[in-house]
Amino acid sequence: MTKEPESIPGGAVRAAPPALPRAQPSAPPPRRSPGRRLFALRGDIPTWLHVVLGLACIALIFLAWFLATVGEPEFRMVSPTVLPSPAETFSSFQELWFDRALTRNLIVTLRRVVLGFALACAVGIPLGILSGCFALAQGLLFPLTIFGRNIPLAALIPLTFTAFGIGEWQKVMFIFIACVMFIVSDTATAIRDVDQRYVDTAWTLGAKRRQIITKVLVPLAMPAVFNSLRLLFGLAFGYIMLAELVKLGGEVGGLGDIIRQSQRRGYIEHIWLVLLIIPFIALAIDRTLKAIQKSLFPYQYGGHGLLHRALRVVGHAWEDLKGVFFSREVATTQAGPGEEDA
Amino acid sequence: MSDPVPQDAVPQDDGPQDAVPQDAVLQDALPQDVGVGTVLDHVREPEEIPSAGIVSFRNVRKTYNVGEANAFTAIDEVNFVVEDIEGKGEFVSILGPSGCGKSTVLRLIAGLEPQHPPTVGEVRVMGRTVERPGADRGMVFQDYTSFDHRTVLDNVAFGLECRGVPREEREESARHWIGRVGLSVENDQLKYPHELSGGMRQRVAIARTLILRPRIILMDEPFGALDPTTRLNMQDLLVDLWREVEATVFFVTHSIGEAVYLGDRVYLMSNSPGTILEELEVEPPNRPALEMQREVPFQETVFYIRDKIATLEEER
Ligand SMILES: Nc1ncnc2c1ncn2[C@@H]1O[C@H](COP(=O)(O)OP(=O)(O)O)[C@@H](O)[C@H]1O
Ligand SMILES: [Mg+2]
């Protein structure tokens, strides 16, 4: 099967190779026509082209936005009460930033998500580990997981007001409820997915049941756990908007509250601005979490793994400290094949 | 009970002695000398030796998924005994067609589920029925089982860490073993498994097992995934280390040459449900792998076993 030498439009004509072309170590790879290269199935395009295409998309959207909102308010294609013009929108940024206290509200929102999510992790990860390790725990938690994962969360908001009042606590607990069962079941799955051969190896190296959990199953499941936590955090960020859009008296604050108030007072351009800003914040959070993830699990994602190595040092220091304060008994004899282990 | 015929030194110069044709070998009364090995007239059973033996199987059967539609008997009527040779230990190779239950036998000795416990019969180690896995029976698997999140050093020290040995002490010991298996302490100790080649990972696995000084080492095709050159190097390494650790080794492999080279004793298993078909005593590996495996008597033993296994695989 020989290939026809391809002509390159506008390029130099290469000499036809003799009979069977032999791969030359230094020869450049055979070039394909640009069309085929750009439309290669699941192929790559150059980075610059990637950027240009993205910018083109943004430009098109702005153009459409501009055309839809050009002219005097009465004669526009889209009413300014729905979509203000780009100029109107961006000129209101200063007002949003200073008068509406964008940063402070952003921090309020983030604090709620982080608190609720941390609480969900603190409860969900240990429960997930238990339920991954022991079928008994999994059986016990099964109904809760089914409910937690399938309940329409928006419908829970009224109840959270009844249960947790109208303050911060209600929003934090809403995030907690939204996430905790997902964390439990994802952690359990990650533990179950650790290959049995690692457990078998640990047994033959004399590990006890507790050591297999703490030294094998949990650490080997962590990359998968962290990855699902990162995705869930994105979800939680979405849920907090929902919680903030509902107000039952008192101070609410947060990005969702800015949107709600803007709608009531007719600052439509602020709604659009917040909607534009949120994805950037979500992206920044996700990128940060990804960087942490990479640093924590170099054996999964490559790189130097600074955080991982730091944790290793801390672990060693902790162990050495414990050794100073508690003299531990070292098992010198091995448990035989029929002996009880401790 | 007949004593196993003592191995006589095989002349190295002039090919197969007595020029016994293959089919004659099969028909002749056993025990029979074949190249560097001797086929025993029967597989020795636990009753035949005075001591309890280091490992013995008595009428062992393993049926997977008992009572279910997909119940499957992997091994049946497995009887054998390996003597406890003080201060030395034997190297036992296990050969057989694929799926005949070699891994099942090894994991029964290790006490690992779901192979453990046997459906019928008794597996004894050092005179006691196996009840659970333990560090006295180390195991090296074919799949890479280094803990991904641990450095080479922490991987090798794992067993000692579980035993509660203080850090300084266990790391010093781990460094010793990293060096003994031919890795560089300086360059490799802080590497992670994903930075190592297959051969290096198996060296870590071997070091991690040997550091615990097990009486029994179980190896399930440990070099199965390695390229031929690495494999020969690993064979030489194993011979070297084994002399030092004085353990009884059970070694499962698909390579007949590897089994005959490394083994003092070779068990040949039948098709499933597997049972031990033949027991051979072979010359211990006293020369480098490449050298010994080229010699004619060695090849004769290999061909003898290869024909047996080929017949078994045809019969399936
Ligand atoms: N956990 C298991 N459940 C059911 N069948 C199994 C299991 N493990 C092994 N087997 C079956 O038992 C037979 C022997 O398996 P194994 O001991 O792994 O063979 P070998 O190591 O000789 O290739 C095979 O046919 C295999 O399919
Ligand atoms: Mg196997």
Side-chain angles (χ1 to χ4, degrees), chain B residues 99 101-104 142 220-221 252 254:
Chain B
K102 304 181 290 292
S103 301
T104 305
Q142 172 178 2
D220 196 349
E221 301 185 38
V252 167
H254 268 121

Side-chain angles (χ1 to χ4, degrees), chain B residues 64-65 72 74 97-105 114-115 220-221 272:
Chain B
Y64 291 106
N65 312 315
F72 179 80
S98 60
C100 71
K102 304 181 290 292
S103 301
T104 305
V105 167
Q115 284 74 15
D220 196 349
E221 301 185 38
S272 74

